[in-house]
Amino acid sequence: GSVVGVYGGEVMKITELSKRYPVVDGTVTTAEYLFEIVESGRYIDASDPSSPSVNWTRYINHSKLNPNLEVNVVPDRDLVWFNAMRDIEVGEEFCFDYGEKYWDGYDGVIVE
């Protein structure tokens, strides 16, 4: 599918991240716009909208049942981008599956 966008932000390791956000049992607990690159042990923090690398992709929503985007990662380059899994209609929300780890510690109801 077509490339929809690249996830941008500040790249850092957990040691740097833990200075910015609370970490409990190796999991960051409060960052809202954080993408973990599992294979490299690094994170992309897209929380600061004034950062030149942060862009609209931080607003892509979650859908486990009906995602229309797939995530692609090149760990050794800290590169994350989204491809369309199918044709996406004008006005349709962009969604991908955040994965199970994202919801660790979340006590609320996850609405699909």
Side-chain angles (χ1 to χ4, degrees):
S2 298
V3 174
V4 174
V6 174
Y7 196 85
E10 184 179 355
V11 178
M12 59 185 71
K13 293 184 177 186
I14 191 71
T15 52
E16 300 165 272
L17 203 61
S18 64
K19 294 174 186 171
R20 189 175 292 179
Y21 306 108
V23 176
V24 176
D25 296 327
T27 301
V28 178
T29 59
T30 60
E32 293 182 14
Y33 301 110
L34 194 65
F35 198 103
E36 181 181 9
I37 304 172
V38 176
E39 301 87 349
S40 72
R42 291 185 292 272
Y43 297 79
I44 300 175
D45 184 1
S47 299
D48 182 1
S50 68
S51 172
S53 61
V54 170
N55 62 39
W56 66 270
T57 59
R58 71 187 191 145
Y59 298 116
I60 296 174
N61 287 315
H62 165 75
S63 178
K64 184 172 185 164
L65 300 178
N66 296 304
N68 53 19
L69 301 179
E70 64 181 353
V71 179
N72 300 278
V73 179
V74 180
D76 59 335
R77 293 187 56 212
D78 299 317
L79 179 62
V80 175
W81 74 95
F82 300 93
N83 279 38
M85 296 170 64
R86 58 174 173 75
D87 289 342
I88 299 172
E89 300 295 323
V90 173
E92 184 179 353
E93 181 177 42
F94 289 133
C95 297
F96 75 101
D97 183 358
Y98 289 1
E100 296 300 319
K101 186 174 179 184
Y102 178 86
W103 305 105
D104 285 355
Y106 181 72
D107 294 330
V109 176
I110 301 168
V111 179
E112 183 56 43

